[in-house]
Amino acid sequence: MPDQLLTIETTRLAAGQVRLRLTGELDYDSAPELIAAAAELRGDGDGDAPVLVDLTGVTLCDSSGLSALLVVHRAAGAIRLTGVSPQLQRMLDRTGLSELLAVAYADDDVRAIG
């Protein structure tokens, strides 16, 4: 069996906000892991807390990954994506999801410049 394709680190931030930091491949095989992590947040009573999804470490995101982000968005009420690669940004733009899923760029995120 291959090594774990996706790692999800959950961090509780100020004002009830939660960050999910993803590392690896967000695809058909690993998308259920992201959905389960979001469901755990709801189970902890943080269903209304804003969710920040850090995609800096994501090396691949396919349509199943995009679908999982939508499921998390619906479950959390809203999410904010950070660390979006240019390739993923193009996918979000082409599918119209960039209008639905908020994308935030850190000041030091070089991808935000170009």
Side-chain angles (χ1 to χ4, degrees):
M1 181 162 185
D3 292 342
Q4 186 174 7
L5 298 176
L6 183 69
T7 302
I8 302 171
E9 175 188 328
T10 303
T11 306
R12 301 206 183 277
L13 305 171
Q17 190 174 35
V18 177
R19 177 179 60 213
L20 298 175
R21 179 175 288 159
L22 282 54
T23 305
E25 299 179 356
L26 181 55
D27 61 7
Y28 178 81
D29 293 322
S30 62
E33 295 174 41
L34 176 57
I35 294 168
E40 258 184 59
L41 294 177
R42 283 197 324 265
D44 289 345
D46 290 333
D48 293 335
V51 176
L52 181 69
V53 181
D54 182 354
L55 301 169
T56 304
V58 172
T59 56
L60 172 102
C61 182
D62 68 5
S63 61
S64 296
L66 291 179
S67 179
L69 290 172
L70 282 174
V71 170
V72 173
H73 171 76
R74 288 184 189 128
I79 62 173
R80 180 171 294 267
L81 305 179
T82 64
V84 175
S85 70
Q87 178 187 10
L88 180 53
Q89 184 62 58
R90 282 191 300 275
M91 284 179 59
L92 292 170
D93 291 342
R94 287 181 182 156
T95 59
L97 293 176
S98 59
E99 296 175 15
L100 179 64
L101 304 175
V103 178
Y105 295 102
D107 291 339
D108 59 347
D109 191 344
V110 180
R111 290 175 293 224
I113 298 170

